[in-house]
């Protein structure tokens, strides 16, 4: 039924190999994590040094032993930096690789490092250090992205375009107002990261396997040395606690949802048939078949990579649901969900300021749409309200007027006083003034609106918020 | 192929009806939200009153008009309370139902209520008011649950059981330490809710459809009247912002993940073959077939309902990903994800204190396991460390001893000095003291451990944290 | 900090009530399923009748007892039809409600109905009957939708528009080809449903709680009576098997993903700034603030409801992951995920044929875009290939030509022979013929293309596929 | 606030680097896929050869050109096999790497390969070939796993253990019946893969970018050469169709859900406190802190990796929802979701037969539980039914008896005739025979039950099903 080629092809290679592996090798491959957790080497060494220093301070290690251990770690750090560290997959994970290497380098003293510690609190520590670094990095990146929006906003306060709801042209707003909307979203994300760091500012070191230890350790010492606000509250909780990973992935999801909505907008605005913005060539690619194509790949990829981050967050939820409390080996997978999501968010936040600063606004197309469209209908209705017409009645008057013009294939700006009087007998020329798009910059005068003053206030408030943080 | 019965059965009923509906009815059914958003009636009225008061304060409504509107709302509130409010599905949603009723009751003045407002900012407001109430309620419920854990912990500081990692017996801890671990989880959730309320403490009223309004409204006035810390920052952002729903669902997910891990534990601990705890009959049900069964249904349901909440959070993510910015009708579905999740979390948090306070601990079974098991192996190894043996070496000595006993089908507590000397020549009777389970209460002396002092400190710290909040 | 109003407002109502409930009521509310599983009444009765008939056939019930039972069910069916059936929430679920009512009606014989049966196999049966009906219904609805696409395709074989990849105009295709692409997607869904029904065509009746029964039942008899292809293979498997729900939700996800892509397209094509299609007013709604708006709500809702269905499928996955085998009470939640998803898919499939048949194609706008655009660039490159130019070289020639014209703000159709000769010296007038959009209808001549012959073949093949099924 | 170490530590390294990258490099890194799609090299070459052969057959390539191209591919295949193929990340993906290399090797003829093809149909083809191979491989692996279950079942037909519902001991079943339940689940998965392969047995080659081509290609020729049942139906559909990836991930989800339930069971059954089974040492690992631990890591990892696969399936859904039809660059991410999920399923299916065949059943523990437990209560009730007691009444009689014994801390097996007569006056010694666990092997006599005959039939039916497939 299938071609001969397939029977003898990949299939054999894919499956034959697997079944001829020795069991030990299969089990090792299935359970090893070194290929991804080697990334935690810096955190693991940082944590081990703090642990050793604490052991020395409480008298479990002598000063000389501590010196030997620190010396060993210096060698290991150098090996890692130079790429000469002898990674051994058969040692399964980064923790055993580093401890084993330490003992090779400094002898039996290395066997004392793991005193009063379990891999359970050790891996929890490494991950917390990693996540804290990531949160710091994202805050920096978000503040750069917000700055990019502010800079574009400064220059586009009076550049109107037809903003939509339901993807149907609704009202004119300035590009500045649009950019500041996204600045506001990412600023919320930045503030979530602040709360996040405070909530999880906890060192797990000393929790042991789940119950602590009978040795005279002091978790507060290592917590302080590692820059944590406090040691763990409860050893049983902290060895199985991955809330700090889940919440970071939830924040990552929120960030990427904002990114995906921005990407969706810009793919739409830059589409051939819409044409409100243009992207620089270097952010686009062509087609292998169609010579004329210029595709907004960076934005599509940002939207697509959003799915990957959201999927990772969901995988983390799937991992934790119904898991017995304390440590279970299932948790090893947390890193496989965390790392790719972290990289995507970091890479995306680093690229977006370029997109925002280099985006070209095609004003002519907007002008054309503002002139022909019906975007000032609300302003006309509100002008009627100012003359005492109840809003629902004003809405009806303008609705009827718009309907009539549409059927005649006419624009709203072409409306005459006489025509308006058909629907509202007291109409006069002043009323038609409200149909000029540029007026929204003055007429929308309250806080948070697209009006000039509001936009200036938004910029100044955001600048202050960023400055006060001095990330 | 299929039986005659089916052809003429439900199938016809299910499908025939659908296709014979008039199109208008189908479209209405598809788009209507009244069947679920009627729940927002209190929030909608609260928001409308604040809006009207603001309109009056800035001179858009007269004092008499405001009075009429407030009078109308009083009637409506009474009708809602008495169940006589005339809900009309053909008006689609709760907002139009209430506004229409208002105009029926007070005439043309009702048509002025929607001045300077759009359904976009109106629905955003209702939802924010709702979510704020929910967050308040969950904080209260969480503090009650934490109190239930503290109360059980007070009485079980010396009641040991064999705690597990990987579901394999690991070390003895007190039930108090176990209960406090969950108290710690739910206390984190409580603190997340605090940050949540601060971050989203924003009134959207005045944002209009997306750009604000030309009328002289003041968003700060209605924000203050509704108890919000500030009005919206950017109108375009706020009409499409559902971050406050997503984050509440993310927190709900976190809470329910904690619940699901607790439920998994207790289903396991109460299973026939484990028997460490027993649940009161009223929290269990029987079997329709097997007369002897007593099933821990409440816990299984809590675990199962966790899936529903996590699914709702995921549906919210699916809703928002790649959605164009500002308002799109897709957002109507947010309520269908929010409401059921809110109810499950609220119901579960209300029931759990009962479970915790009524859970019966079966001490005899624990004693049996503690006596026969190998749970004190770590303590023995640490006793060796105290005598200067490097930890990795001590781990080997005890590992070899345990292996030997296991092969002989012996318990660790039966170990003799002579036997231990085979592996560690300097062994003496004092070392074997470390094998007595009750010693963990004294020997585990550092903060966060299962030791008596640590547990007392945890209880006192938690009590203070709850008291300082006085929710 | 918060206004007085809130402290005494909803909050109290929401929470006070909950805590003052009696425990029994709380537990009942938490565990009851009657409010949603009452929907399964027809399936439950159908299953019970088949069960009773089997019991009678194997001699466990007498002919008279069977008659009494059937008589009782007739009464119950009448009560359900007339809305007089006495639903009692305290009986928890629909199964106990019906059985209890039966015993009320016919006395002690009713107590024999549950012989050799458990709620575990009973509920599994009801759900399988329900899902089978749903699959039948969806197949019918899909075939109607496919027919709607075919009908539009018949009339639009020569109506070209600029199709996109990456939302950038790519090549002209006919609307017929576009409609048939979606017909193809939904036809795949239809075929998936066929496989689905075959795979799960199994009766669980007789599996009991998990191990079958010692009574002389015959599962094959009831399976046949209910129209199933076979009885269960393994009792332990079938009581905990919810694969048939998961797979139905996976198919629902696939269907709704197709819907969501169609909706996304049509929202885009009907957006003010694109304007390729228009939707009839009755499928749109207006704005409460902006008098000119006409929003494609039905499509946005279809896209939004997709999120709900996908979330339900995910909730089902979350429910099942890591669940102990056989029956666990968690499974009660399966219905809360299944029913809303089923309704959304059914409602959406019923509405879509209306959207497709009433969609108005705005040809003038397409003509304008086809004339000015660069959509024929590939055809020009292929014309060069026909003259022996390697494709990659032809792609370069046309790419350079397009670039030049773009910089001069010229359309491709305005290209002259002389200009083309700059890049390809052997160019002549014949080559420029390939730039006429209408030629794609003849020139694309292979199967599956947008060419006239291919489109006619597609229509005919689809018609045959539908006819051969005669759903 | 934070330690000095952090300010100058990883953070700088993590972030400084990113921002000092040149933009081009950043964009390239963000959009490149070579690091993962290089895995598709075999499929890409297979597809290109079939494409070239078709081009030659329809006269677009000469016989000599085809020979040159095939020669070039031979060299490339050799380079790939030997690891000397010059991968160039700056060429972005595997397709451009291979085509570029081909042209380097054979000159301008290489530029003709892409004639009548787009990357859109090319990548769709590679992925379809890959997925088809994967489905074949999984079918083979599933049949091996099912065989492992059958082999264990053969030897455990009479080995009873207390099976549970709700994790509460319910009724005795044989291990054979338990193993066959999982064999049945995986056999369903196997059959789903069959339907899957049939549904998506389609070649996309010839669809071009979205509309086909004007060149005289014949999609049927390449489809046949590649072993597909048919060429694509509609070019516009097929370039954006990723249903075959989604459905494969849905099946992967189903398979892993079965795995996760098995893993949950076995983690439970092998836990210290339950002790029904034991796992061989080589499938377990120890603890770094606790010398006595033996953890069922392979099973926990299988359960944990299930989360990863389910997360990937969800990421795919997130990717597709609301995506415009035809090709969008977002789709590049499909591979990042597909590949890891494929590897996990393949690795897990390869390991599980080892787990099943090496699992040690601890019979003594089961015997103890069967003797003391109440698992025969249903059988006693059914014995009453056989004497004419209505089932609900029999259930009450036995329920009351069980309750009495429980309160007296007695086992059911110790029940005397006199005691039973208290509840059922006609009781005699024969009735008590039904309380012997071993009787279930004979007494459960209907198909699908745990009875000996049924289990033998199940084994024989499964063997036939596997044989008839001869995978």
């Amino acid at each position: 039924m299938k071609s001969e080629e397939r029977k003898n092809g990949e299939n054999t290679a894919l499956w034959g190999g697997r079944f001829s592996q020795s069991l030990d090798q299969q089990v090792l491959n299935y359970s090893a994590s070194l290929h991804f957790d080697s990334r935690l080497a810096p955190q693991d060494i940082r944590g081990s040094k703090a642990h050793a220093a604490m052991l020395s301070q409480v008298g479990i290690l002598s000063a000389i032993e501590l010196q030997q251990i620190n010396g060993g770690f210096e060698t290991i750090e150098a090996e890692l930096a130079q790429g000469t560290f002898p990674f051994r997959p058969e040692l399964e994970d980064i923790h055993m690789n580093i401890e084993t290497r330490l003992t090779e380098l400094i002898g039996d003293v290395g066997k004392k490092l793991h005193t009063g510690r379990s891999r359970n609190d050790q891996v929890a520590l490494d991950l917390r250090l990693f996540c804290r670094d990531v949160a710091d990095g994202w805050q920096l990146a978000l503040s750069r992205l917000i700055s990019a929006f502010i800079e574009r906003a400064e220059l586009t306060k009076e550049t109107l375009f037809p903003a939509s709801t339901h993807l149907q042209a609704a009202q004119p707003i300035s590009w500045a107002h649009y950019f500041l909307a996204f600045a506001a979203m990412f600023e919320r994300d930045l503030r979530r990261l602040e709360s996040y760091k405070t909530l999880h500012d906890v060192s797990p070191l000393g929790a042991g396997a789940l119950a602590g230890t009978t040795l005279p350790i002091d978790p507060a010492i290592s917590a302080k040395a590692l820059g944590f606000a406090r040691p763990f509250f409860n050893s049983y909780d902290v060895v199985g606690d991955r809330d700090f990973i889940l919440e970071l992935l939830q924040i990552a999801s929120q960030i990427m949802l904002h990114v995906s909505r921005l990407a969706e907008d810009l793919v739409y605005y830059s589409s051939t048939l819409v044409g409100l913005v243009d992207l620089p060539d270097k952010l686009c690619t062509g087609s292998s078949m169609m010579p004329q194509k210029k595709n907004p790949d960076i934005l599509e990829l940002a939207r697509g990579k959003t799915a990957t981050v959201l999927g990772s967050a969901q995988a983390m939820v799937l991992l934790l649901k119904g898991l017995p409390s304390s440590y279970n080996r299932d948790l090893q997978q947390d890193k496989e969900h965390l790392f790719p999501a972290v990289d995507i968010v970091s890479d995306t936040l680093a690229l977006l300021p370029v997109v925002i600063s280099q985006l070209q606004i095609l004003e002519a197309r907007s002008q054309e749409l503002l002139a022909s469209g019906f975007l000032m209908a609300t302003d006309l209705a509100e002008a009627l309200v100012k003359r005492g017409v109840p809003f629902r009645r004003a809405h009806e008057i303008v609705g009827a007027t718009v309907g009539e013009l549409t059927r005649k294939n006419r624009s709203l700006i072409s409306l005459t006083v006489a025509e308006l009087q058909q629907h509202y007998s007291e109409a006069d020329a002043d009323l038609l003034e409200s149909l000029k798009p540029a007026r929204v910059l003055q007429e929308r005068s309250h806080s948070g609106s697209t009006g000039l003053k509001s936009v200036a206030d938004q910029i100044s408030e955001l600048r202050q918020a960023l400055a006060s943080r001095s990330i």
Side-chain angles (χ1 to χ4, degrees), chain A:
Chain A
M1 193 175 301
K2 296 294 153 85
S3 70
E4 210 44 36
E5 181 194 12
R6 289 185 60 219
K7 281 208 188 102
N8 305 321
E10 284 72 350
N11 211 18
T12 318
L14 258 174
W15 294 95
R18 202 180 305 282
F19 288 109
S20 64
Q21 275 187 324
S22 79
L23 174 62
D24 291 348
Q25 195 56 44
Q26 269 192 76
V27 171
L28 180 62
N29 289 348
Y30 198 73
S31 59
S33 57
L34 184 63
H35 58 290
F36 53 87
D37 70 12
S38 58
R39 177 171 186 164
L40 292 173
Q43 285 80 9
D44 198 64
I45 293 171
R46 214 182 335 156
S48 284
K49 282 163 141 181
H51 182 61
M54 181 276 287
L55 289 178
S56 162
Q57 210 168 328
V58 302
I60 295 175
L61 289 181
S62 71
I64 289 174
E65 288 171 332
L66 177 60
Q67 215 176 326
Q68 286 177 286
I69 286 173
N70 284 334
F73 278 128
E74 265 173 55
T75 307
I76 290 172
E77 286 173 314
E79 289 177 343
L80 285 165
Q82 292 153 24
T84 59
F85 182 86
F87 285 108
R88 275 165 287 196
E90 68 274 18
L91 293 175
E92 287 198 18
D93 62 25
I94 187 63
H95 320 295
M96 289 314 292
N97 266 273
I98 288 179
E99 189 183 331
T100 303
R101 181 71 185 142
L102 183 72
T103 302
E104 279 176 4
L105 289 170
I106 65 169
D108 260 22
V109 174
K111 294 188 179 172
K112 294 192 168 182
L113 175 65
H114 208 58
T115 309
R117 190 174 73 170
S118 161
R119 247 188 302 185
N120 293 359
D121 55 341
Q122 184 179 4
V123 71
L125 173 63
D126 293 0
L127 285 166
R128 281 174 182 267
L129 290 170
F130 180 82
C131 287
R132 196 176 61 178
D133 290 344
V134 167
D136 285 345
W138 287 356
Q139 286 193 300
L140 180 61
L142 283 167
S143 69
R144 287 180 183 178
L145 175 56
I146 295 165
S147 296
F149 280 115
I150 295 175
E151 276 160 42
R152 279 315 295 262
E154 283 284 15
L155 302 169
T156 54
K157 289 181 207 161
E158 306 192 22
T159 316
L160 296 175
F161 78 103
S164 297
T165 56
H166 307 255
L167 231 60
Q168 293 293 321
Q171 294 183 333
I173 66 169
S174 66
W175 277 105
H177 196 57
Y178 177 84
F179 290 134
L180 291 167
F182 279 95
M185 294 178 212
F186 291 113
E187 208 262 345
R188 272 199 297 282
D189 298 334
L190 201 159
R191 278 187 281 149
R192 271 191 83 173
L193 284 164
E194 276 175 9
S195 305
Y196 167 80
K197 290 199 300 186
T198 303
L199 184 58
H200 300 289
D201 200 358
V202 163
S203 168
L205 208 53
L210 59 70
T213 173
T214 64
L215 299 167
I217 63 160
D218 186 345
I221 293 176
S222 43
K224 194 178 171 195
L226 289 162
F228 285 110
R230 55 195 183 284
F232 60 93
F233 173 80
N234 177 296
S235 59
Y236 186 84
D237 168 35
V238 86
V239 295
D241 173 11
R242 292 297 183 273
D243 294 0
F244 65 98
I245 294 184
L246 176 60
E247 190 176 347
L248 192 64
L249 287 172
Q250 288 178 334
I251 296 174
S253 297
Q254 181 70 84
I255 292 173
M256 291 304 292
L257 284 173
H258 291 151
V259 167
S260 78
R261 297 185 76 174
L262 176 65
E264 175 86 3
D265 279 7
L266 295 183
V267 167
Y268 170 74
Y269 286 141
S270 69
S271 87
T272 323
L273 284 69
V274 175
L276 287 184
V277 303
D278 199 19
L279 285 167
D281 285 3
K282 64 179 141 191
L283 298 177
C284 298
T285 64
S287 156
S288 72
M289 189 179 201
M290 298 172 286
Q292 89 283 9
K293 285 299 289 292
K294 184 179 135 185
N295 299 322
D297 295 76
I298 292 296
L299 297 167
E300 293 172 280
L301 284 167
R303 192 175 56 187
K305 285 170 193 265
T306 297
T308 308
V309 172
L310 300 174
S312 293
Q314 187 61 12
M316 194 66 204
V317 158
L318 283 154
L319 190 68
L320 293 173
K321 189 236 153 190
L323 198 66
S325 60
S326 93
Y327 186 82
N328 302 273
R329 186 71 182 269
D330 314 52
L331 291 178
Q332 177 174 301
Q333 292 298 106
D334 57 11
K335 286 170 283 296
E336 298 212 44
H337 310 145
L338 176 62
F339 293 161
V342 162
D343 289 340
I344 287 176
V345 174
S346 301
D347 292 347
T348 304
L349 291 179
L351 259 182
L352 277 184
V354 181
V355 174
I356 296 309
S357 63
Q358 303 207 358
L359 191 70
Q360 196 190 339
I361 295 168
L362 303 177
E363 285 194 57
R365 174 79 171 130
S366 280
Q367 288 310 320
E368 174 193 330
L369 290 157
L370 291 171
S372 68
F374 289 88
L375 293 91
M376 301 306 291
T378 312
D379 292 56
L380 177 57
E382 291 181 348
L384 293 171
V385 167
K386 286 178 190 164
R387 299 201 177 183
V389 184
F391 178 72
R392 284 281 175 225
R393 175 83 193 98
H395 189 278
E396 283 163 28
I397 292 168
V398 179
T401 308
V402 162
E404 213 169 84
L405 290 168
T406 306
R407 281 185 294 278
K408 292 179 186 163
N409 223 357
R410 295 246 317 273
S411 71
L412 184 55
I413 200 78
S414 73
L415 180 69
T416 65
V417 174
E419 286 168 331
L420 185 52
Q421 283 171 342
Q422 305 271 320
H423 300 278
Y424 176 61
S425 56
E426 296 161 64
D428 57 31
D430 262 15
L431 272 178
L432 298 186
E433 283 299 298
S434 62
L435 294 176
K436 298 184 178 158
R439 282 171 59 102
V440 303
L441 297 172
Q442 306 304 334
E443 292 285 317
R444 300 254 189 290
S445 60
H446 61 79
S447 73
S449 75
T450 193
L452 277 183
K453 185 179 173 321
S454 154
V455 163
D457 288 349
Q458 290 177 48
I459 290 175
S460 130
E461 194 178 320
L462 269 182
R463 281 201 196 285
Q464 276 177 5
L466 289 186
S468 74
R469 269 187 200 90
S470 65
I471 292 161

